Amino acid sequence: MRSIAASQEVWQAANFPHFDLPVSPCMALQWTYRDGVLVNVPTCLLTTGDHIYVRPGAALPGACHLLNDAQRTFQMDECFIPSSFGDVMVANSVRLVTPVHPEVMVMDESPYVSLLKSIYPLRRPLPQLEWLRAYSSFILAVRLLIPTVFGVSFVISALRYGLDPQRSGTWADMFLFYPAVTVLPLLAPAFPVLWILWYLIGTFRVYSRMERCSSDPNESDAGDTLTESSLDSIQSTVKVRLPFLRQFVTSIIRDGDEFLFSTSAMYGLGAMTNFCCVDKKGILSWPNPSPEKVFFMTTKEPSVSADDGSDDSEPENYFEVLDLTHGSTEAFGVAFDDPRWTRFDANLKPLGLSVLLNTCNDATRNEYREFVDYLQLAAREDPLTLPVVNRRCLCMLPELIGFHHDMWNNHAHIESQHSLYRYIYRKTDFKKRKRFVVPLPNATAVMTRDAFANHFQMFAQGTTDLLLDLCIDAWNGVDLVPLASGDRKKILDFYHRSTLSCYCTAFTYRPLAKSPVTRGHVVVQIPPEGHSIYQHCIEDTEDESLDAESLFEFRDVPASSDPLRVYKDQVFLGMVSMQYKVKADVVAMIETLDRACIRFVYFSKENEYRSQEFGEELGLETGWNCHISLAKETLISDGSMEDDDVGGIGIGVGASELHWSQSAPVLTSGELEQVIMDPHLEMERKESVIYPALAEAMIANERTHMLEAVLEPTLSDEYLATFENRAKLPRGIGNVRPHIKQVDNVPLLVSLFTDCTPNSTQEMIAIMQEYDESVCCVGSCYNLHNLCLFAQSNIAISVEPLFPQICQKEPPIARPRCDSVLSPMELSQRLISLPCSHRCHRDQMVNLLPVIAEARHCVNQMKVAFSFAAVGSFQVTSLYLFSALLPLPPVVAISHVWMLIVFTIPVLSLSIMMTKVDPLVKNSAIGRNKHRLHRPVIREITIAFVTKFIPPTVVSLLLFHLLLYYSCVAVAGTCHWSAPSLLLPNSTAPHQFGGWMGDDEGQHSRLAFLQNLIFFFLTIIAILNASGYLYPFEQIWKQMPFRTTPFLLLSALVLAVHLGFIAVDMRLHHVDVAYFDAVPLAFWILLVGWPLVHVVLLAVVKHYEIKSEVRKEKHLKLEFGTKLGMNSPF
């Protein structure tokens, strides 16, 4: 808190993100007044009473009201529509509108506090280890084993006391002491402390590996996460030495940001089955879209005649597409795939100049921002359109062509900026078919003046369908070429196909004789029909200069005055398609997760088409039966599917959710990038726009079938069908549960979910958890809506994404002056990461693979240590039960029992947690987070107990009986084989030996001597059993236990302490050294020989356990790799 208070004192406006930082779904920012200065504040830092500056069409960050109208209130995520906007009239003529300005609002509630209250009732599923601990302690032990064992021991003691009360002991010994000592190991007094120590050791190892991976990116590769050297380094890390102990204690009492017990990284990563990523930009992909293809017209030289060498033909014009490849290390590094691309310099240079003047120009940002805000509101009038404005940094393209970033400052000056948009004409009823969302046609143009020749030019960029209607020529690198209908069809075909999976921007140019008169920034609305545009294109053939004076004189201008003269007769320069490129290390990470049988699941906020394209780049299966849309659907009367909200994006996203932070991928991009093309809609659009070559025919004959006969749909139904999911998978989050219950479990096996919202994503994570999946949620630490997703998942990792940049020349954010205090973004990161087990930078996310392997190993070893401690404790109980049943005196004293269950077994179990990582654990399959014990598991535990612990128990009883017999002989001179027991008298000399429970001090000391010998034998057996549990799936000759330093040291410690304890106990009981003479040779032979036999027995049992584990592993991998449901097409 002191650090936060200090940071508030040093925060400056430069410490906040840039105002024009491209809006990304990975970041939640809001313009806010702080100390009278307008800054871009993270949403989670907003508090009650803050004055926020809200842009039109934006989603409100929380409950608020207008500063000037307290009665008008808004809720979180509600779209802000200014009262001055009103209803947009779709006029039949050109209409000039004034942009709507932002307004000041007052926050009524902190968004972070509101979401924090909503996640409070959420309860994460109990980790399997915690469930196992609770089930074993409260169900098996308290309700079953302890009452049963106590009852059996009580009955046996009662029989002994009733048959021979003189030689059995007092009633207190028989009815209280013996039953209590028998159930004492099952009470496990050291278990709570031991469990915490296991957990802390595992957590320390996981966080230590995290720190090493964060500090050293070369700690491991994403493709091969664990090398032999890295595995050996773990062994040196966990050695019991002073630096290790110091680090261990520091990690426990550290003032960290993670909650050590409530957000366990070891439990979550060790049992993880699904790795779910909910954010894309800056995490899975680069934060900025990269140019992917450049489309332009060029010319081909005619071929020379072979007969006379003459050349009478004209150059042939054709369209060229140049592919670009994004660099793997640079955010803005691109290169042409064609090494001979320089032959197209004349075609590319006008494109590069247009990019510099229009896209990455500081002087155009304010007007462009106003147009974007107005476009968000205008798109709401047509619910099947989205305000796609593809304007992002393309400086790398002009630099690649040869332009300098500041070259335009010396050669051109911005005079004015114009913006245009047009509604789409519709005549078909869309209610009874699947609706698609298309971009709202729009464009922006800058009027520039040449600094040397004083010439005026106009450079425009925008959607191809609108700009192409304004073009009559195209630049082929040599001359202007008239655009024919075939050329237009090819241009639109490229645009439509590019829009399906990426973002396409067209660039045009027109020279002007003089600068247009500008009266402020206005937005031009073009009528849907657009007839007037090309009517004047054909009739007006004058060569005089064109101006825009008439454009700004009237609010509604008659068509006869030609208000669009300034925009017509443009030259088509080309198109640039942009795409968010997947980072190469993410693809390698996904492949490694797949080998580890961890399913990578991507929750995409985009529609199916864009999500499939991006999923293919990730390496995911995106074909049939491999993706599900979570958008809501309802049935309508004719049996077809219709959205719940009219005007949904893609399917099922209501029109009320369309706002400027949820549109396409650009400066206004946000969460719902749902832009796909509809061939039927495009056909209707073409019917409403008359190309110049067909304008005269259309005026003479208004029958639209003439146009339909010439123009065919650029996107066929067969082409779109290749993107559709034809398998019978559920559509909509509400249909997932019924599908799993009634059909198959394919929804749990797919890796791609589309059309996701925060609520549907949270619901799908809950469904996965209901079916025992352990979900790791990975998302941006700056997205406030991720707070609920982090709290819902089994484990959450918040990732600091790469910041988007409005231009590569400008840094996205500045740092505070003092490195020791938190910046606003860092404070936001810590608040949103509250439910997370770990937070890291995006570049450190791919290094989590060795951390996952470490956590898996710790979870497995914790299960093994728990099994060893539980079965070892039950061995002591069974030893007491069998000794009472035979009957014999207590095999070990009560002090020995305490020593075994409080010191020996816990210390040896700690060594199990300190082994190095198994190299095979990174590629092994783990089971689901099931909260139940199946019969195979119970059978395995029973077999392990019978084969590993019962034989040494029987041998201990045999040795004890043998020692009693020879001690009886030493005391009485002669003894029958049954005389050492308490119930069976000596038939030949019934009065020679009176038993071990009398008042003779010599008999007590002799019994204590014998019990210490058996105690030493049990210590040796416990160490051998622990050695078998160190590496449960490796034979002893492959992984030598005594080469493991922690186990060697702790075993030596146990032996030393036990020998000292035996010496002290013998001295307290006045044990005579002469008692050793009565020990027979057979005892020493068994004492030395049985451990060797026990090692062989452990090897045989482990052999069958390994085979069983291999079969289980194959079954789990088969289950992981199976993606076919009963309704699959094949």
Side-chain angles (χ1 to χ4, degrees), residues 422 469 528-530 534 684-691 707:
R422 180 183 67 193
D469 293 343
E529 288 78 3
Y534 289 105
E684 294 160 9
R685 179 186 297 176
K686 293 170 195 153
E687 294 175 358
S688 66
V689 178
I690 304 178
Y691 294 149
L707 182 63

Side-chain angles (χ1 to χ4, degrees), residues 745-956:
N745 67 336
V746 174
L748 300 175
L749 304 178
V750 299
S751 296
L752 178 61
F753 293 91
T754 65
D755 305 298
C756 299
T757 62
N759 291 335
S760 61
T761 301
Q762 182 178 354
E763 186 67 17
M764 190 63 218
I765 291 177
I767 293 174
M768 293 178 178
Q769 293 171 338
E770 291 173 6
Y771 288 89
D772 302 327
E773 299 287 353
S774 182
V775 180
C776 173
C777 181
V778 179
S780 170
C781 60
Y782 301 131
N783 187 358
L784 186 59
H785 289 287
N786 285 346
L787 191 67
C788 297
L789 304 181
F790 290 156
Q792 178 68 53
S793 56
N794 298 78
I795 179 176
I797 299 176
S798 64
V799 179
E800 181 182 359
L802 301 175
F803 279 79
Q805 295 176 239
I806 190 171
C807 183
Q808 63 176 345
K809 303 300 180 181
E810 298 183 14
I813 189 173
R815 290 294 179 186
R817 292 174 296 180
C818 181
D819 295 334
S820 61
V821 296
L822 298 175
S823 68
M825 297 302 290
E826 290 172 341
L827 178 57
S828 170
Q829 174 188 6
R830 297 198 179 190
L831 290 176
I832 297 177
S833 303
L834 192 64
C836 299
S837 301
H838 179 56
R839 71 173 192 270
C840 61
H841 190 266
R842 185 253 160 248
D843 294 334
Q844 300 170 355
M845 180 189 68
V846 294
N847 290 332
L848 287 177
L849 277 305
V851 181
I852 294 174
E854 186 83 36
R856 274 190 176 186
H857 175 77
C858 292
V859 168
N860 291 338
Q861 292 302 105
M862 195 168 178
K863 291 180 182 179
V864 172
F866 174 76
S867 176
F868 168 75
V871 180
S873 298
F874 194 74
Q875 181 191 21
V876 180
T877 295
S878 62
L879 190 64
Y880 253 78
L881 277 177
F882 291 154
S883 64
L885 186 63
L886 283 178
L888 290 172
V891 180
V892 289
I894 180 63
S895 58
H896 299 149
V897 173
W898 277 104
M899 195 70 180
L900 286 173
I901 65 176
V902 174
F903 177 76
T904 308
I905 295 176
V907 170
L908 292 176
S909 67
L910 291 178
S911 66
I912 299 176
M913 292 295 300
M914 298 181 183
T915 57
K916 67 179 181 180
V917 177
D918 186 355
L920 301 178
V921 74
K922 63 175 181 177
N923 294 330
S924 62
I926 59 176
R928 296 181 178 178
N929 188 27
K930 297 181 179 180
H931 291 176
R932 51 190 175 274
L933 286 178
H934 295 284
R935 290 183 178 179
V937 177
I938 298 176
R939 184 173 59 250
E940 291 177 2
I941 296 175
T942 303
I943 293 175
F945 174 73
V946 172
T947 55
K948 296 180 180 179
F949 291 87
I950 291 299
T953 302
V954 173
V955 173
S956 300

Side-chain angles (χ1 to χ4, degrees), residues 476-519:
N476 65 358
V478 179
D479 199 358
L480 298 182
V481 179
L483 281 173
S485 59
D487 297 332
R488 295 178 182 276
K489 185 177 182 299
K490 293 178 181 178
I491 293 173
L492 287 177
D493 182 74
F494 177 84
Y495 169 68
H496 294 157
R497 293 176 181 268
S498 299
T499 308
L500 280 173
S501 58
C502 53
Y503 314 102
C504 189
T505 303
F507 295 89
T508 61
Y509 164 80
R510 186 196 174 183
L512 302 173
K514 63 180 181 178
S515 175
V517 178
T518 302
R519 299 179 182 177

Side-chain angles (χ1 to χ4, degrees), residues 222-223 225 268-276 588-601 748-751 772-776 849 852-853 856 860 919-929 1109-1123:
T225 59
L269 295 177
M272 177 177 56
T273 58
N274 287 356
F275 188 91
C276 300
M589 180 191 70
I590 294 175
E591 293 176 354
T592 308
L593 288 173
D594 187 72
R595 288 196 298 269
C597 294
I598 299 175
R599 197 179 313 280
F600 179 86
V601 181
L748 300 175
L749 304 178
V750 299
S751 296
D772 302 327
E773 299 287 353
S774 182
V775 180
C776 173
L849 277 305
I852 294 174
R856 274 190 176 186
N860 291 338
L920 301 178
V921 74
K922 63 175 181 177
N923 294 330
S924 62
I926 59 176
R928 296 181 178 178
N929 188 27
E1109 184 66 22
V1110 170
R1111 289 193 298 268
K1112 179 182 176 182
E1113 182 83 11
K1114 290 181 179 179
H1115 175 75
L1116 291 175
K1117 287 190 175 182
L1118 179 63
E1119 182 182 359
F1120 173 81
T1122 301
K1123 294 181 176 62

Side-chain angles (χ1 to χ4, degrees), residues 406-417:
D406 297 328
M407 184 177 296
W408 68 273
N409 290 327
N410 302 325
H411 298 279
H413 301 286
I414 304 295
E415 294 291 322
S416 62
Q417 181 175 349

Side-chain angles (χ1 to χ4, degrees), residues 396-547:
M396 73 291 290
L397 188 59
E399 289 180 358
L400 190 62
I401 296 172
F403 286 101
H404 190 268
H405 183 266
D406 297 328
M407 184 177 296
W408 68 273
N409 290 327
N410 302 325
H411 298 279
H413 301 286
I414 304 295
E415 294 291 322
S416 62
Q417 181 175 349
H418 298 182
S419 304
L420 305 89
Y421 76 95
R422 180 183 67 193
Y423 285 109
I424 298 175
Y425 173 71
R426 304 178 187 277
K427 67 177 183 180
T428 304
D429 184 10
F430 290 91
K431 292 184 178 180
K432 294 187 178 181
R433 71 176 181 89
K434 185 188 296 184
R435 292 191 297 266
F436 293 89
V437 178
V438 296
L440 181 67
N442 65 89
T444 58
V446 292
M447 313 300 178
T448 63
R449 178 174 57 85
D450 188 271
F452 300 102
N454 205 32
H455 293 164
F456 296 93
Q457 307 168 82
M458 179 175 65
F459 291 89
Q461 73 172 59
T463 58
T464 305
D465 49 359
L466 177 60
L467 287 179
L468 188 61
D469 293 343
L470 300 173
C471 293
I472 61 172
D473 297 321
W475 172 252
N476 65 358
V478 179
D479 199 358
L480 298 182
V481 179
L483 281 173
S485 59
D487 297 332
R488 295 178 182 276
K489 185 177 182 299
K490 293 178 181 178
I491 293 173
L492 287 177
D493 182 74
F494 177 84
Y495 169 68
H496 294 157
R497 293 176 181 268
S498 299
T499 308
L500 280 173
S501 58
C502 53
Y503 314 102
C504 189
T505 303
F507 295 89
T508 61
Y509 164 80
R510 186 196 174 183
L512 302 173
K514 63 180 181 178
S515 175
V517 178
T518 302
R519 299 179 182 177
H521 178 237
V522 295
V523 179
V524 182
Q525 176 189 342
I526 302 177
E529 288 78 3
H531 288 73
S532 60
I533 300 177
Y534 289 105
Q535 182 178 356
H536 291 283
C537 286
I538 296 172
E539 294 177 354
D540 189 4
T541 57
E542 299 181 7
D543 295 330
E544 71 271 17
S545 62
L546 302 174
D547 61 78

Side-chain angles (χ1 to χ4, degrees), residues 8 59 81 406 522 557 563 573 723 739 750 860 879 1019 1108 1112:
Q8 291 178 348
I81 303 178
D406 297 328
V522 295
V557 185
L573 300 179
F723 290 88
H739 183 95
V750 299
N860 291 338
L879 190 64
T1019 302
S1108 176
K1112 179 182 176 182

